[in-house]
Amino acid sequence: MPLCLKGLTPQQNTGSWSLEAMQDVWTTGGCSGWGKEQSNFNTSGMSGKVQCWKNDQHSKKWVAAFKLGRINTEDEHGPGRPVKSVTQENIDKIHYLVMLDRRMTVRQIEETLGIPKTTVDRIMREHLGLRKLSARWVPKLLTPDQKAKAKTVPTAGKVMVSVFWDSEGILFLNFLNKGQTITGDYYANLVKQLREAIKEKRRGKLSRKIVYHQDNAPSHRSLQAMATIYDSGFELLPHAPYSPDLAPSDFNLFPHLKKSLSGIHFRSDEVVIDAVTSFFFESLETSFFLEGIKALEHRWKKCIDLKGDYVEG
């Protein structure tokens, strides 16, 4: 509760002032119906008189304060709740831990650094500008530098590859050019290239029976493709509809490719093509392809035993 000097304007009553100017001090509140009580005091060689309401404890505190030498009516700035843990050192430590592992929880940071959980959360959000997103700590907003990098860092687009292989390894790969689609004619041409690859890499096998397996994609079942498969002397192995679990490339080849390339940033399509080519021709042993073909036989038998139900392994 502020004090008011009798006879002075509100502007004169604010801030600090000398006790020489103070004669009678009145409190600006109290409880009516009570008598007044006078308190005399001497401070800094000055004498004065304070009148307050008898039952106003707050006014009595002001009287005591002026007796002890207080010379202004401004409220002193309170210290507030002390925050000892929010230091630059702790901010740097938490930032370092988060950069090491963005999936680290607030509780783990609390246990590691011995800083209260509420303080850790406050530093993360207010000082580091982070928020939890999909179990990872990420910046709330991109900085100008991050925005610039996001615009300037090149990245590869979608690359489609057709893989032709047998129990001994890869026969040939075909990467679809941008803007193209696999039509019946396009796929028929790939079958012709496959026949040439078998002729070159698997000498003598064309004179024997070649069992050819493919899925039921529209381009694979087109008239052009089916005619080319027949003309090439291949025996077509029927594929059950909607059965990726019975396609060796889907259950054996591509999962390993995805695992090998997972988490890698490719800056161009050419880099993707090099990585895929290297994986197929350099990373896989011959036994890998043979096991894939044998697994097809096992899956077919299992599918028959389950009367056509989906096969997971």
Side-chain angles (χ1 to χ4, degrees), residues 14 26-27 30 44 67 76 78 101-102 107 113 127 144 151 178 187 197 214 223-224 232 244 251 260 277 296 306:
T14 59
W26 297 82
T27 61
S44 302
K67 283 183 178 181
E76 295 181 354
D101 182 7
R102 288 182 178 269
R107 187 173 298 279
L113 300 180
H127 296 269
K151 293 179 180 179
K178 279 188 176 181
Y187 184 72
Q214 61 181 10
L223 293 177
Q224 301 93 318
S232 299
F251 69 72
S260 174
T277 303
L296 177 61
L306 295 175

Side-chain angles (χ1 to χ4, degrees), residues 257-270:
L257 173 64
K258 290 174 63 176
K259 184 177 180 180
S260 174
L261 304 182
S262 177
I264 302 176
H265 176 77
F266 298 99
R267 296 180 177 273
S268 66
D269 293 354
E270 290 72 18

Side-chain angles (χ1 to χ4, degrees), residues 38-255:
Q38 292 186 347
S39 298
N40 297 319
F41 62 89
N42 290 286
T43 179
S44 302
M46 303 297 176
S47 63
K49 180 170 59 178
V50 173
Q51 290 183 329
C52 65
W53 298 110
K54 185 177 181 180
N55 199 38
D56 193 341
Q57 296 297 324
H58 192 74
S59 300
K60 291 180 180 180
K61 290 181 181 180
W62 276 105
V63 171
F66 278 103
K67 283 183 178 181
L68 294 175
R70 180 164 181 148
I71 61 172
N72 66 72
T73 60
E74 290 293 322
D75 290 336
E76 295 181 354
H77 179 69
R81 185 178 179 181
V83 183
K84 298 181 180 180
S85 299
V86 183
T87 63
Q88 188 59 47
E89 180 181 1
N90 286 339
I91 293 174
D92 293 339
K93 288 180 179 179
I94 293 175
H95 183 261
Y96 176 76
L97 289 178
V98 173
M99 291 301 103
L100 284 180
D101 182 7
R102 288 182 178 269
R103 298 187 183 274
M104 180 171 285
T105 64
V106 172
R107 187 173 298 279
Q108 288 174 330
I109 296 176
E110 174 191 15
E111 295 173 353
T112 302
L113 300 180
I115 301 174
K117 182 179 178 181
T118 53
T119 303
V120 174
D121 188 72
R122 180 180 178 185
I123 290 176
M124 300 282 269
R125 299 181 186 279
E126 297 181 10
H127 296 269
L128 297 179
L130 299 174
R131 64 190 178 102
K132 203 75 169 179
L133 182 64
S134 185
R136 297 182 65 187
W137 290 101
V138 299
K140 286 184 178 179
L141 297 174
L142 292 178
T143 64
D145 289 341
Q146 289 171 328
K147 290 180 180 179
K149 290 180 180 179
K151 293 179 180 179
T152 58
V153 174
T155 185
K158 179 183 287 188
V159 178
M160 184 173 182
V161 58
S162 297
V163 185
F164 296 85
W165 58 286
D166 63 3
S167 60
E168 297 181 36
I170 299 295
L171 289 164
F172 88 97
L173 306 176
N174 176 265
F175 293 93
L176 189 68
N177 295 327
K178 279 188 176 181
Q180 281 189 313
T181 56
I182 296 183
T183 63
D185 289 332
Y186 186 94
Y187 184 72
N189 184 56
L190 294 183
V191 174
K192 293 177 181 178
Q193 294 182 55
L194 171 63
R195 190 179 189 282
E196 293 300 318
I198 295 174
K199 184 178 179 180
E200 178 182 349
K201 297 181 179 180
R202 307 287 188 263
R203 294 184 179 276
K205 283 194 173 184
L206 282 177
S207 60
R208 292 176 285 175
K209 184 184 295 185
I210 299 292
V211 178
Y212 185 71
H213 179 260
Q214 61 181 10
D215 61 23
N216 293 320
S219 59
H220 298 175
R221 294 184 290 108
S222 66
L223 293 177
Q224 301 93 318
M226 297 299 288
T228 304
I229 292 172
Y230 177 80
D231 292 341
S232 299
F234 300 160
E235 179 182 346
L236 185 62
L237 183 65
H239 182 76
Y242 311 109
S243 302
D245 52 309
L246 298 179
S249 293
D250 290 331
F251 69 72
N252 185 64
L253 198 62
F254 292 143

Side-chain angles (χ1 to χ4, degrees), residues 165 167-169 252 284-294:
W165 58 286
S167 60
E168 297 181 36
N252 185 64
L284 301 176
E285 300 290 337
T286 303
S287 59
F288 171 83
F289 299 97
L290 180 59
E291 290 171 1
I293 298 298
K294 289 181 177 180

